[in-house]
Every structure is written in structure tokens, then in C-alpha cells.
Amino acid sequence: MTGTVNSTASSTAEGFERAYGYAPEGVWAAPGRVNLIGEYTDVNEGHVLPIALPQCTRAAASARTDGVLRLRSREAAGAGTAELSLAALAPGRVEGWAAYPAGVAWALREAGLPVGGADVYVESDVPAGAGLSSSAALEIATALALTELYGAACDRPALARLAQRAENAFVGVPCGPMDQTASACCTAGHALHLDTRDLALRHVPFDLAAHGLRLLVVDTRVRHALADGAYAARRAGCEAGARALGVRALRDVPYGELDAALARLADAGVRRLVRHVVSEGERVRRVVALLAAGEPRAAGPLLTAGHASLRDDFAVSCPELDLAVAVANEAGALGARMTGAGFGGSALALVEETAAEAVGGAVTAAFAAAGHRSPRVFAAVAGGGARRVCRGGE
């Protein structure tokens, strides 16, 4: 693993040098994430349970003295270099992929951190649009690079909050804090139990190999765009439900009182959103308890129940995700569900190690039979959060 990290960091440093003509001061990496359970709970001040993925976004960077931010990306090579004045950064003024790192620089400076100009070159192994938080990985890699280049003191949870602000206020996506916090704060071999109201963190053991298990991720290769309004519409519906029930957020509706709460809601669409969020919060609680007790196998049915809720009540699934989940379960998975905001993206399946190849093969065959693009199936191992992976000259 260390050799792989060094190799990819060297590749990113070389890409920086080709782009700008000199060596970077360092390379920083931030992982994507897959959320085990707790979908749309983070925008309702609830609990979530992500793990960091091995796939990372890497940012090679060097400080500049002229207040200019230059941005290049291997994945958006055709876009060339974005050259931006830090003093002129404001929401709505930067478009495309560059809005994410530019928004981070803006948010850091708005918070009073002494961050100046920089040359930044980005490479990423996190599939974009796959529900694996490629945008958060880009934000956190950039944020860590800028703060360390300028010696700006900022702990990881605070860094995650500023990256979230960049996505909310600068890019215009009303995401919760889960993605950025997972990318910044996860630890290897653990899932991150995050209370998104007070941002309290608990690292829960998640060593599936020790139990003879594997977590498969199925990237359907169906891409979604969260800025298209569907995500925001569901968040607004949840907020309407909270207002109607007289609570600050839907996390404040006790699971044991869910039926009574639903009976008070006149709007059928809002009722469905509320039912998902409150029941999903209970599923998070149960999965955390099972992992803490060393019983990960028993979490499988809760994953499948979460998918049914996202499909039927929250209406954020799609045919490819439903197919991946159904076939995985039929082929022997202990449980499966879509992960991320939906409308495409990825599913995950909890499987016995001995069944992993059969489950992955069955899903791939089913996609071919249905005429879908071949999915990308890989095993996810709980990795660590963002870090500096090399210094200039290494």
C-alpha cells in the first residue's frame, strides 16, 4: 500500500511539474467515502456511518506570493488552467470543477485563515458522480494543501466544516457535513459514527476481513448531478416535515413515535420523506450497535431495508441501482443497498469472502443481460482520512 501511495503521489507531482514547469512543495491526498448506512440523515441533523475508501484525490501544490490561484486537473485536462484572483472570489463567479477548490480557498479566507495564492494540480481515482464523494475528496485535499502551505492552524473537523461551507455557499449544493468529515477524519479499519448535529465522532471497528466478510461497491456508471435541484427538493421537503411536526429537525422525532407523527402530516410526499429519515436513523443506531458488538453479519438485512426505504419512500433510486441490489441479494449477499444521494451512482453489498466473486459476477452478468453499461465492482476496505503523502523533492 505504501508503494502504491508513493507511486501515485510521484505521478501527481510529475503532473504538477508538467503543468507549471517546476516541482510542487508537496502532495496531499483525501479519500472518497462509501456510506454504510444513514442516507439523507445528515441533512436532518441525524447520524451517519461512512468509511473512507482507498481511492483518493491528490492535490500537488505550491504557494504563490501574488494572490493568484491557478488550478489544473488531469480529469479535466481539456479545460486548461483556471487562473483566479483570490480577492475576486465570490459565490457564483466560478463554474465547473474549479468551483470546488476555489470555493475552499474562499471559505478558508472568509474564516480568517491566512491562506494566500497557490498553484494546484489535481489527480483523482475517485469516480466522479458515483455517489462516492469525489467533490468532498477534492475539497479536503485542497483545504489540507492550502492550510499546510501557509501554516494555518485548523483541526480536521473544522477543516471539514469549512469545506462543507464551500460546497454549500460557493458551489451551491446544500449537502450535509458527512462527506467532508469522512474524508478528513476517518481512521483505517473503522467506520465513522458521526452525529451531524454536534459533529461528535466515534470510530467503530470495521474489520470485515477478520470476520470472513467483504464489502463490495458496485459503481453502476450511471452519473448524477446533485446541483440539478432534486437533492435540494428533498431537503426542503424534510424541512417542511420538521416544521409541521414542530421540531428543529427530523432527528428529533423518536422512532417509537413515528406512526403518530406521520398521522399528523397532511402531505403524502412529506410523509414518505419523514418515514425514511426517521426509520433510517433507527437503522444507523442498530448497525452501530451490531458493529460494536462484533456482529457485522447481522447488519445485512438493515442495509436491504434501507434500500427499500430510499427506493419507495425517498424515491432516489434508479433501475440500475435496484437491479444491482436485487441481484446481489439473490446471489448470496447478506444485504445490499444504494449508497450516496442516488439518481445513479453506486450500491454496496455485504458478502461472505467466499461469495464475493460470485456476487460480483452475477451483478455484472445481470447488467449485460439488461443492456446496461458494465458496472465497476470493487472491494472497499476502511481506510484513513486525508494526509500529506509527500513533500517537495520526494
Side-chain angles (χ1 to χ4, degrees):
M1 185 67 177
T2 301
T4 301
V5 169
N6 289 342
S7 173
T8 54
S10 295
S11 170
T12 306
E14 290 166 4
F16 178 101
E17 190 160 3
R18 286 193 298 272
Y20 298 117
Y22 69 100
E25 294 181 45
V27 179
W28 291 261
R33 68 95 187 99
V34 63
N35 192 26
L36 299 176
I37 194 77
E39 226 60 79
Y40 285 92
T41 49
D42 67 330
V43 292
N44 289 281
E45 300 187 13
H47 294 253
V48 293
L49 191 66
I51 63 170
L53 290 171
Q55 289 84 353
C56 287
T57 293
R58 298 172 300 283
S62 289
R64 295 176 62 96
T65 60
D66 58 0
V68 170
L69 181 66
R70 292 198 296 179
L71 304 167
R72 284 183 69 95
S73 167
R74 179 186 67 183
E75 282 65 45
T81 302
E83 187 165 322
L84 308 166
S85 166
L86 289 179
L89 290 180
R93 291 190 181 177
V94 184
E95 297 182 348
W97 80 273
Y100 293 88
V104 166
W106 169 82
L108 294 172
R109 289 166 60 85
E110 286 281 300
L113 294 173
V115 169
D119 286 337
V120 181
Y121 173 80
V122 173
E123 294 185 348
S124 184
D125 306 318
V126 185
L132 303 176
S133 296
S134 59
S135 60
L138 172 58
E139 290 158 359
I140 294 298
T142 304
L144 195 59
L146 291 176
T147 52
E148 292 196 2
L149 282 174
Y150 284 94
C154 189
D155 64 28
R156 294 304 177 84
L159 199 72
R161 289 194 293 274
L162 290 172
Q164 181 200 358
R165 181 163 188 253
E167 189 154 347
N168 292 169
F170 196 93
V171 181
V173 177
C175 65
M178 173 179 64
D179 296 349
Q180 292 83 3
T181 306
S183 187
C185 301
C186 276
T187 60
H190 294 77
L192 181 69
H193 181 203
L194 171 65
D195 183 335
T196 65
R197 170 168 286 173
D198 62 11
L199 301 184
L201 307 177
R202 176 189 177 195
H203 298 284
V204 184
F206 192 72
D207 183 1
L208 293 185
H211 295 272
L213 299 174
R214 238 180 239 180
L215 187 71
L216 296 183
V217 176
V218 180
D219 175 6
T220 66
R221 300 182 189 262
V222 176
R223 298 299 181 239
H224 62 273
L226 295 186
D228 67 359
Y231 182 101
R234 280 157 181 77
R235 181 168 185 169
C238 290
E239 292 168 350
R243 287 194 299 271
L245 294 171
V247 294
R248 170 175 156 175
L250 292 182
R251 70 151 307 149
D252 296 312
V253 179
Y255 178 68
E257 299 174 16
L258 176 57
D259 288 344
L262 295 176
R264 294 167 52 195
L265 297 171
D267 187 293
V270 171
R271 277 200 304 273
R272 288 191 292 271
L273 297 180
V274 170
R275 181 165 52 222
H276 166 72
V277 171
V278 177
S279 64
E280 185 81 342
E282 175 65 9
R283 284 186 286 272
V284 174
R285 186 192 69 78
R286 292 181 184 178
V287 171
V288 168
L290 289 169
L291 294 181
E295 300 177 15
R297 279 180 177 80
L302 292 166
L303 303 183
T304 301
H307 182 77
S309 182
L310 287 161
R311 180 192 64 210
D312 301 336
D313 280 340
F314 229 71
V316 292
S317 190
C318 67
E320 292 87 352
L321 287 169
D322 292 342
L323 180 64
V325 168
V327 171
N329 282 328
E330 290 166 3
L334 299 169
R337 74 174 193 93
M338 60 157 280
T339 185
F343 311 105
S346 297
L348 56 82
L350 181 65
V351 302
E352 301 284 353
E353 276 189 354
T354 54
E357 186 174 346
V359 171
V363 171
T364 300
F367 269 54
H372 299 320
R373 187 179 178 187
S374 182
R376 179 173 179 245
V377 182
F378 62 93
V381 178
R387 66 271 187 202
R388 189 171 189 158
V389 291
C390 79
R391 299 183 181 275
E394 293 182 358

